[in-house]
Amino acid sequence: MAVNATANGICRDCLAPAAGTGKRCHSCGSPRVLRHPELEALPLAHIDCDAFYAAVEKRDNPELRDKPVIIGGGKRGVVSTACYIARIHGVRSAMPMFKALEACPEAIVIKPDMEKYVRVGREVRAMMEALTPMVEPISIDEAFLDLAGTQKLHGAPPAHVLAAFARRIEEEIGITVSVGLSYCKFLAKVASDLNKPRGFSVIGRAEALDFLAAQPVTTIWGVGKAFAATLERDGVRMIGQLQKMEKNDLMRRYGTIGSRLYHLSRGEDDRTVKPRSEAKSVSSETTFNHDISAASDLVPVLRALSERVSTRLKKADIAGRTVVLKLKTADFRTRTRNRQLADPTRLADRIFHTGLDMLMRELDGTRFRLLGVGVSDLTDAAKADPPDLVDTLSHKRALAEGAIDSLREKFGREAVETGYTFGRGRAGQPQREE
Amino acid sequence: MRVILERSNLLKSLSHVHRVVERRNTIPILSNVLLAADGASLELKATDLDLEVTEAAQATVEQGGATTVPAHLLYDIVRKLPDGSEVMLKTDDNGTAMAVISGRSNFRLQCLPQGDFPALTAGQFSHIFRMDAAALRGLIEKTQFAISTEETRYYLNGIYLHTVEADGALKLRSVATDGHRLARAEFEAPAGSEGMPGIIIPRKTVGELQKLVDDPDVAVTVELSDTKIRFTIGSVVLTSKLIDGTFPDYQRVIPTGNDKELIIDRQSFSAAVDRVSTVSSERGRAVKLAISEGQVTLTVNNPDSGSATEELAASYDSDPIEIGFNARYLLDVAAQLSGTEARFMLADAGSPTVIQDTSDMHTLYVLMPMRV
């Protein structure tokens, strides 16, 4: 039993079991001691990288380390990630860039390098998948992990494995993560947010109800600004109030989400961690700096997106039979159109022309804020783009595209560009002055 | 309007016109069939704005007039009425509903005003000719299967009908292709077709037409311009828009220099392809033909389920060759051939192959091989 008594705590720096109640670790003196009565029993974790894009940039350029860094840009000027120094000044993600710079004029603004972030994100994910196959990625920089049943494998309970994992990420990748540990997805996610950055928070079954009671309703997944306003109108602001309400009452008032409010407010969440299934589609989309409606502005974007999709298909050695076009209007209505091809394709040229044909039918002066293109109905590449009887040049175009691909591989993506995207930057967006 | 007609007459005419009506329509009147009673007949008309079919059915007109009612609904009602019965169609005084009365059955259908029914204005036709239904049917049936469904290449979504000078005579030719296979059929050009423009008849029109030319002895009158075509088959008139596009130069696609000749019994070949392709679980699986002197070996390999091979005797004396085709396409072509022997003209594993019926050298199929 001695082992158990000491094991309800761990030092997050030296990973030594931390017994007793002291503020510091007995072995290394670190104050980062994690203690919780249920520490050994909780299997479900949410791991979130801290200020991910900014952290990667700081890692790659140590000069930025002590400066406020904002990742974002483009003319629509939205902060995509702000480092914690910038956050001290009040910069938040999704904040308009001009406001962010008002709050923190000395901030260094860096345009996002998504390819790099995706690469680092994959490294992190690979390390997660080494812990358990039950990894459900939520986005590039966060995931749920279910470590139930891995104690024998790792020779340690999940909390210890996660603390070691967080340390390894810092050492090997050079960024920090925050970990939330609980018994269900909802509370694991809430926990990871509790003491960011470099956090490790635990919400056990025993304190779940009391903990939640003191949280605002917006803590509940699915309660956004609009719904919170509805609840506010009904006088409900804290989760504690929801805990006192009946399920029937909540469902009568708010429909199906009422049931979710009822269960989540009581810390009941039976969603399981679902490892990512095989990709069903490959797509790429972009939100414009300005809402645009003209073909001359949209077509280059479509071309650039088609090339991205094609690149990803070629890398994965797959092809898709259906081309999907997605548009979001200035008033946030989404239009999707799809068209089945006679044969699967992975050529930028075919994706582009099929998408173009669908796009042209949608252009009626409507202003769009987003354009996306992708392929679904995926197959392996062997059957893609067979020679065609009628279009005898298709084979030559495919060869030309292959040549362009290898040139880009060698000399960068701007080595060869089509006239559609030339001089328009990576996203093919109109380079217009504000 | 008040007319009485035999159920069988009404049903036959309705069955011809109602198919044109799309099941789902955003414009309500397009779901309806136009009924116009005059003289001794009831004229029925249906359209989808690209294609219009009219037919006159013999009827006793007690009171002339016209209205429109939901086409599929009327068809379903008449279909279920007892054989040999008589049907009375009678509109209300204010024209908002039409009664369908037969024996003790009494239906009321809501009407839309006939004035709203769209007319497909045919304009002037530049050419008119008559041909046997059997010939027209041949031109359609031999090529229909190769029509493309790919929307992006809309100009392949129909049969290309045109005249061409071949073997010292003028031929009326039909061609269809989807890029993987091509089918070409021809007949003696009928008088009046000389100088007609090359036209592309849309897939839906082709399908309707094929159902209308089931009686081979009837003569069909064809009228056409470069935007519309009209077929008059007995009492049925089908008018259709044409696909506004340029059909590719298909002659370029048909190889003339293929020198390896394979002759094979059509039925046993077709059956063998069908048998070996059983193991190919998905569409687009290739059948490999290993052809050597006197024999063909068919092979299908499916890593998920297994493999199949079958050997066939054949007449072949060129260098051995291995070539793959989509099993589906090979079966489609084999189904088109009617003679006892099929002739393959091959070049190499990557080039188009010409397939013909040795008893009908006017019809020709081209198949693009697949990588195997």
Side-chain angles (χ1 to χ4, degrees):
Chain A
M1 285 314 282
V3 177
N4 250 349
T6 58
N8 279 336
I10 181 173
C11 170
R12 290 165 56 206
D13 281 327
C14 70
L15 304 177
T21 53
K23 282 207 167 125
R24 286 182 180 269
C25 170
H26 293 300
S27 311
C28 69
S30 160
R32 297 178 73 225
V33 176
L34 182 65
R35 283 203 183 86
H36 191 279
E38 292 177 46
L39 194 61
E40 295 221 322
L42 301 171
L44 220 147
H46 178 255
I47 298 179
D48 195 2
C49 301
D50 303 320
F52 182 56
Y53 300 171
V56 173
E57 293 298 346
K58 289 195 177 199
R59 175 194 74 167
D60 293 348
N61 183 0
E63 275 178 31
L64 296 174
R65 214 191 70 171
D66 301 319
K67 297 187 174 128
V69 171
I70 296 175
I71 311 297
K75 289 274 161 33
R76 202 175 281 271
V78 180
V79 174
S80 132
T81 308
C83 78
Y84 283 86
I85 301 173
R87 290 190 201 186
I88 294 171
H89 296 269
V91 181
R92 295 284 175 269
S93 55
M95 187 184 248
M97 192 60 82
F98 74 93
K99 272 200 173 163
L101 289 172
E102 250 168 44
C104 185
E106 67 276 24
I108 295 162
V109 179
I110 299 174
K111 277 207 169 172
D113 178 356
M114 287 312 296
E115 263 174 47
K116 181 159 81 178
Y117 309 147
V118 168
R119 209 168 51 237
V120 179
R122 292 225 173 102
E123 289 172 30
V124 174
R125 188 163 307 155
M127 287 171 70
M128 291 176 180
E129 278 160 359
L131 302 183
T132 170
M134 299 299 279
V135 176
E136 180 180 335
I138 308 300
S139 69
I140 177 174
D141 63 344
E142 56 176 317
F144 284 109
L145 279 74
D146 187 352
L147 289 159
T150 62
Q151 184 145 357
K152 263 208 175 126
L153 175 71
H154 296 298
H160 292 227
V161 172
L162 290 164
F165 171 79
R167 206 178 75 163
R168 264 188 66 201
I169 293 283
E170 285 179 27
E171 285 165 0
E172 293 177 23
I173 302 208
I175 61 167
T176 63
V177 298
S178 291
V179 181
L181 181 64
S182 188
Y183 59 89
C184 68
K185 274 175 135 179
F186 167 50
L187 288 171
K189 168 109 172 129
V190 171
S192 73
D193 230 19
L194 284 181
N195 69 29
K196 271 177 142 315
R198 277 188 101 199
F200 195 130
S201 304
V202 181
I203 301 176
R205 284 181 194 275
E207 76 261 30
L209 267 182
D210 290 342
F211 167 81
L212 282 171
Q215 301 296 315
V217 287
T218 45
T219 307
I220 294 177
W221 160 74
V223 180
K225 241 188 213 166
F227 191 49
T230 307
L231 289 169
E232 169 100 49
R233 209 187 50 219
D234 294 347
V236 180
R237 196 175 290 173
M238 306 306 279
I239 294 180
Q241 291 167 281
L242 291 172
Q243 289 174 350
K244 294 195 188 82
M245 292 166 84
E246 288 300 319
K247 186 171 178 178
N248 287 344
D249 186 30
L250 282 167
M251 287 190 69
R252 197 167 48 243
R253 282 200 208 187
Y254 310 115
T256 45
I257 196 174
S259 154
R260 188 190 299 163
L261 289 179
Y262 176 85
H263 290 289
L264 293 184
S265 67
R266 285 156 177 79
E268 297 164 10
D269 178 10
D270 55 7
R271 287 173 301 156
T272 53
V273 172
K274 293 181 190 74
R276 191 171 50 156
S277 49
E278 248 179 69
K280 291 198 173 69
S281 68
V282 174
S283 63
S284 184
E285 59 182 48
T286 190
T287 304
F288 310 130
N289 298 329
H290 309 265
D291 296 336
I292 52 180
S293 59
S296 57
D297 289 333
L298 288 159
V299 172
V301 179
L302 181 69
R303 178 74 208 187
L305 294 172
S306 304
E307 287 177 11
R308 276 194 222 172
V309 171
S310 165
T311 305
R312 285 170 56 195
L313 290 170
K314 285 167 187 159
K315 266 191 192 155
D317 216 18
I318 49 176
R321 190 184 284 271
T322 305
V323 176
V324 183
L325 182 82
K326 178 177 166 187
L327 286 160
K328 201 181 268 178
T329 62
D331 55 351
F332 289 88
R333 275 176 229 274
T334 303
R335 298 185 193 174
T336 53
R337 301 287 178 265
N338 52 65
R339 180 171 296 173
Q340 205 177 32
L341 302 172
D343 299 285
T345 189
R346 51 181 192 153
L347 294 178
D349 193 64
R350 287 202 77 192
I351 298 168
F352 170 65
H353 280 105
T354 310
L356 185 63
D357 201 43
M358 293 190 279
L359 176 66
M360 286 311 188
R361 291 159 200 251
E362 302 300 320
L363 300 185
D364 49 6
T366 310
R367 297 172 66 77
F368 296 103
R369 70 187 321 274
L370 175 146
L371 172 64
V373 71
V375 298
S376 60
D377 207 353
L378 301 178
T379 59
D380 64 89
K383 287 192 206 74
D385 306 297
D388 192 279
L389 274 173
V390 181
D391 187 1
T392 43
L393 292 177
S394 70
H395 186 57
K396 285 193 174 165
R397 281 201 305 272
L399 289 177
E401 200 172 305
I404 292 173
D405 289 340
S406 46
L407 281 170
R408 284 181 166 175
E409 183 91 355
K410 213 165 173 181
F411 302 109
R413 50 174 302 113
E414 280 171 17
V416 190
E417 283 185 77
T418 62
Y420 289 111
T421 53
F422 183 71
R424 280 172 176 268
R426 280 207 51 207
Q429 288 209 36
Q431 306 287 301
R432 208 183 296 161
E433 290 309 312
E434 197 114 15
Chain B
M1 180 183 85
R2 194 164 73 236
V3 290
I4 298 167
L5 64 174
E6 275 179 38
R7 178 245 183 205
S8 58
N9 281 347
L10 181 57
L11 183 64
K12 183 161 167 274
S13 300
L14 270 174
S15 70
H16 287 149
V17 303
H18 93 281
R19 282 192 306 257
V20 175
V21 178
E22 293 288 345
R23 288 275 168 188
R24 261 177 250 164
N25 267 308
T26 45
I27 308 168
I29 194 116
L30 292 183
S31 301
N32 281 14
V33 54
L34 176 71
L35 305 172
D38 190 25
S41 68
L42 177 71
E43 192 190 66
L44 300 90
K45 183 191 278 193
T47 181
D48 67 358
L49 295 181
D50 289 325
L51 170 62
E52 178 190 276
V53 176
T54 66
E55 174 156 8
Q58 205 181 47
T60 311
V61 178
E62 293 184 351
Q63 189 191 343
T67 190
T68 80
V69 291
H72 294 301
L73 201 52
L74 180 62
Y75 174 72
D76 286 341
I77 291 169
V78 175
R79 190 168 52 85
K80 289 175 184 173
L81 292 176
D83 201 11
S85 58
E86 280 200 329
V87 185
M88 176 193 268
L89 306 176
K90 190 173 111 204
T91 51
D92 279 4
D93 290 340
N94 56 12
T96 56
M98 185 185 85
V100 181
I101 304 159
S102 177
R104 295 182 184 188
S105 309
N106 196 328
F107 298 85
R108 272 172 62 83
L109 301 179
Q110 293 195 333
C111 302
L112 288 171
Q114 75 275 12
D116 294 351
F117 199 82
L120 195 66
T121 44
Q124 284 287 317
F125 289 114
S126 59
H127 291 75
I128 175 165
F129 55 88
R130 284 167 77 80
M131 63 190 297
D132 289 342
L136 181 60
R137 193 169 156 175
L139 287 174
I140 293 171
E141 284 188 344
K142 290 184 163 110
T143 52
Q144 191 181 19
F145 73 99
I147 298 175
S148 168
T149 54
E150 198 183 348
E151 284 172 77
T152 311
R153 293 197 283 183
Y154 60 93
Y155 48 85
L156 298 182
N157 295 167
I159 289 180
Y160 180 51
L161 191 70
H162 61 298
T163 52
V164 70
E165 192 75 36
D167 309 325
L170 194 67
K171 308 280 179 161
L172 184 63
R173 236 183 216 179
S174 61
V175 180
T177 180
D178 62 3
H180 302 105
R181 56 246 174 103
L182 177 144
R184 191 197 82 187
E186 62 187 28
F187 278 91
E188 299 297 324
S193 64
E194 314 84 27
M196 69 171 258
I199 55 169
I200 309 169
I201 308 172
R203 185 177 51 238
K204 184 173 173 184
T205 305
V206 170
E208 290 309 317
L209 188 58
Q210 190 214 1
K211 287 171 197 139
L212 295 175
V213 290
D214 48 3
D215 181 354
D217 299 328
V218 175
V220 179
T221 305
V222 183
E223 297 162 90
L224 61 90
S225 65
D226 47 13
T227 55
K228 299 241 167 61
I229 191 162
R230 171 174 288 169
F231 299 90
T232 307
I233 309 145
S235 59
V236 188
V237 180
L238 181 153
T239 312
S240 169
K241 287 185 186 166
L242 297 168
I243 291 177
D244 183 12
T246 308
F247 200 81
D249 178 9
Y250 69 90
Q251 298 280 29
R252 247 174 355 125
V253 172
I254 301 171
T256 48
N258 289 7
D259 56 353
K260 299 182 170 69
E261 188 190 54
L262 166 75
I263 295 191
I264 194 159
D265 181 73
R266 179 186 64 85
Q267 273 187 334
S268 42
F269 176 73
S270 180
V273 171
D274 192 19
R275 269 192 294 273
V276 292
S277 60
T278 315
V279 297
S280 65
S281 53
E282 57 181 292
R283 59 185 168 182
R285 179 82 56 190
V287 178
K288 187 174 78 179
L289 277 63
I291 309 163
S292 54
E293 201 174 326
Q295 89 169 27
V296 180
T297 309
L298 307 176
T299 311
V300 173
N301 259 314
N302 179 357
D304 299 329
S305 64
S307 63
T309 49
E310 181 156 344
E311 280 175 14
L312 283 168
S315 149
Y316 183 78
D317 54 13
S318 305
D319 293 337
I321 179 174
E322 285 197 355
I323 188 167
F325 294 105
N326 181 312
R328 177 81 253 143
Y329 298 163
L330 215 45
L331 285 173
D332 281 348
V333 171
Q336 293 303 318
L337 306 176
S338 50
T340 52
E341 283 176 334
R343 186 180 81 145
F344 288 64
M345 292 302 290
L346 308 117
D348 56 64
S351 304
T353 295
V354 181
I355 305 171
Q356 282 182 292
D357 193 328
T358 51
S359 63
D360 173 16
M361 298 304 273
H362 292 295
T363 309
L364 162 156
Y365 304 96
V366 182
L367 263 190
M368 199 72 193
M370 273 178 96
R371 288 167 288 210
V372 279

